[in-house]
Amino acid sequence: MEVILASVFSAIIISITVFSMMKVFIYAFRKNDISLRKCIILSTSSIVIGLLVASVLPFGFQKIMDFINYRKPF
């Protein structure tokens, strides 16, 4: 249960971050600081990286919980 809850909250934080980055890329494109191609590449890469991180997080959280809850046999 803890792993699911931590993964959901982390995925929400990651999606907010990616959405904010996309807004910055669009703003930079409108100000002519970056080209359209660069805006598309940066937006796509941030979405893909965000999805990869959000999909790997449950496994990482499960490993951390297993490490915390591990009890050494006597």
Side-chain angles (χ1 to χ4, degrees):
M1 182 66 183
E2 308 91 17
V3 174
I4 295 171
L5 194 61
S7 298
V8 168
F9 284 129
S10 297
I12 290 171
I13 292 170
I14 290 169
S15 65
I16 291 170
T17 304
V18 169
F19 181 73
S20 299
M21 287 174 60
M22 288 181 60
K23 286 182 8 182
V24 168
F25 296 147
I26 292 170
Y27 180 75
F29 171 68
R30 288 185 183 157
K31 291 287 187 177
N32 292 326
D33 289 337
I34 60 174
S35 65
L36 178 63
R37 179 184 295 260
K38 196 171 204 176
C39 180
I40 292 171
I41 289 171
L42 290 172
S43 298
T44 306
S45 64
S46 65
I47 291 170
V48 168
I49 290 171
L51 286 173
L52 285 173
V53 170
S55 63
V56 171
L57 274 176
F59 301 111
F61 285 138
Q62 185 63 46
K63 292 288 185 184
I64 291 170
M65 288 298 173
D66 289 343
F67 181 73
I68 291 172
N69 294 329
Y70 178 70
R71 296 179 187 212
K72 291 183 181 179
F74 293 109

